[in-house]
Amino acid sequence: MRDILPALSRWYAAKAPFGLATVVAVGRSAPRDPGAAMAVGPDDEVVGSVSGGCVEGAVFELAQEVVDSGAARLETFGYSDEDAFAVGLSCGGEITLLVRRVTPDEDPSFGALAESVAAGRPATVATVTDGPAPRGASLTVWPEGVAGSLGSTGLDVAVTADARGELALGATGLRHYGPSGERREDSVTVFLHSFAPPPRMLVFGAIDYAAAVARIGDFLGYRVTVCDARPVFATPKRFPAGVEVVVDWPQRFLRGTTTDARTVICVLTHDLKFDVPLLEEALRRPAAYIGAMGSRRTHDDRIKRLTEAGLSRHELSRLRSPVGLDLGARTPEEVAVSVAAEIVALRWGGSGTPLTATGGAIHPPKPR
């Protein structure tokens, strides 16, 4: 959804109706997660994807029908054993889509949502998918306010509370309520789509490897900051335009920086006077990934020094060192791919094993 919002904002500003298809539920080996979106706008322009190509043709026609009729639709697509070439997911998965028409009159808060997401401000969109409440009705929830309605005051109040809780976690998924927001009933199904600010990637050590890691981090959607105490290396011209470059002592900068359970920390300093105090700080704070570059000899010395500094076995077990997966990487760009592969594998619970050597679902459910 983030990727297609510029196009949607353009159509919305022009008051041109468009059909928005959003993945609200998946089953088995589905190729996209809840929140993936595709839209059909003026002159049949298409942006986004909901399945990687399997059902986009059918969704295109469905979105056109929804724009013409104005009635939101809930459709499920899956693999058909009877006809593998019929509309369905050849991967064997199943996706459920909510397709609704969006116009300024029908969804007056959509423009504010798009502005919030573009500015990196958190927001959650709650949309009715099924039940006695109006299908396609939406409510946008910010930490400090709300806009729109799902059809009843009680439902709005209950969903607003849950949406703010999901937003704090960056979570997206279906929730169930009674017609007036009763939490022990399940007659109304609501899709909560959280737009949390992009996760942070903190890269320490402004070397060539850091530039490559910063580029791939930016590509993966992280808000990247590179920090180095040496101003001759920490210059913006060595890094992509969207990357923040800070000249400061790494441990001091990290100590004054907020991290959370989605933050990625890459220590590429290659200098014990920098990376040991830095890792001592990093391993004692929230983070999704903490990796440090260096040889195995450097790693052993680093662990020894961190142990002497008082870090526990549990804290040290969070360290990914030497950084990255074993890809045989040599160049800075290859090493960056290795690091990114390890970050993605850790995020989704992947093994890093070639798919040709594994069995079962390629896209298992995200670990909780």
Side-chain angles (χ1 to χ4, degrees):
M1 179 68 90
R2 290 181 186 276
D3 296 336
I4 67 175
L5 271 175
L8 305 190
S9 297
R10 186 176 71 251
W11 298 339
Y12 189 83
K15 299 183 178 180
F18 59 89
L20 177 61
T22 306
V23 178
V24 297
V26 300
R28 299 189 298 276
S29 184
R32 302 298 300 273
D33 292 313
M38 168 181 161
V40 179
D43 301 321
D44 294 337
E45 182 181 354
V46 178
V47 293
S49 171
V50 291
S51 74
C54 298
V55 302
E56 268 67 9
V59 175
F60 173 78
E61 296 178 359
L62 183 58
Q64 289 179 314
E65 294 174 8
V66 167
V67 170
D68 290 339
S69 70
R73 300 266 296 272
L74 188 69
E75 297 285 343
T76 297
F77 296 91
Y79 180 77
S80 170
D81 291 327
E82 290 76 21
D83 186 356
F85 295 99
V87 173
L89 299 176
S90 58
C91 61
E94 184 177 273
I95 60 172
T96 299
L97 304 175
L98 175 69
V99 187
R100 64 187 182 102
R101 184 173 69 183
V102 178
T103 68
D105 290 336
E106 293 169 301
D107 191 348
S109 66
F110 186 87
L113 166 69
E115 292 176 0
S116 295
V117 175
R121 295 193 300 270
T124 294
V125 179
T127 310
V128 175
T129 66
D130 205 5
R135 177 175 288 160
S138 66
L139 177 74
T140 303
V141 180
W142 293 271
E144 68 286 350
V146 299
S149 175
L150 302 181
S152 82
T153 301
L155 185 58
D156 289 347
V157 170
V159 171
T160 295
D162 288 346
R164 286 181 173 144
E166 297 293 85
L167 184 57
L169 300 172
T172 289
L174 295 172
R175 300 292 290 266
H176 303 278
Y177 306 87
S180 298
E182 298 89 344
R183 297 181 182 277
R184 295 188 178 182
E185 298 185 26
D186 59 1
S187 60
V188 179
T189 303
V190 178
F191 179 64
L192 298 182
H193 190 178
S194 296
F195 293 90
R200 298 197 68 183
M201 173 182 280
L202 306 177
V203 182
F204 295 95
I207 59 177
D208 288 345
Y209 290 97
V213 169
R215 282 194 295 272
I216 203 165
D218 182 61
F219 174 76
L220 290 175
Y222 286 92
R223 181 162 64 94
V224 183
T225 299
V226 177
C227 175
D228 197 302
R230 302 164 297 180
V232 67
F233 294 111
T235 59
K237 66 181 180 181
R238 301 184 64 215
F239 299 93
V243 172
E244 178 187 28
V245 180
V246 174
V247 179
D248 199 352
W249 283 89
Q251 70 271 24
R252 183 170 60 192
F253 172 77
L254 182 58
R255 197 176 301 125
T257 300
T258 299
T259 64
D260 60 27
R262 301 186 300 153
T263 303
V264 166
I265 300 174
C266 298
V267 178
L268 313 178
T269 51
H270 277 304
D271 190 328
L272 290 174
K273 72 174 177 289
F274 289 122
D275 65 11
V276 170
L278 174 60
L279 287 170
E280 185 179 351
E281 174 69 27
L283 292 169
R284 287 173 169 157
R285 59 169 51 229
Y289 175 92
I290 303 170
M293 179 176 282
S295 66
R296 298 197 185 280
R297 180 177 177 179
T298 299
H299 168 75
D300 291 341
D301 188 30
R302 182 186 292 138
I303 292 296
K304 179 175 177 289
R305 291 171 182 260
L306 290 171
T307 300
E308 292 172 349
L311 271 79
S312 69
R313 182 175 299 181
H314 171 71
E315 290 168 333
L316 292 173
S317 70
R318 301 177 62 206
L319 178 61
R320 299 280 169 160
S321 172
V323 72
L325 296 185
D326 180 13
L327 306 182
R330 295 291 187 275
T331 68
E333 290 73 20
E334 290 174 344
V335 170
V337 170
S338 166
V339 174
E342 185 174 41
I343 291 170
V344 172
L346 186 62
R347 177 185 178 189
W348 294 101
S351 65
T353 305
L355 290 174
T356 54
T358 65
I362 295 176
H363 304 284
K366 182 178 179 180
R368 296 187 67 84

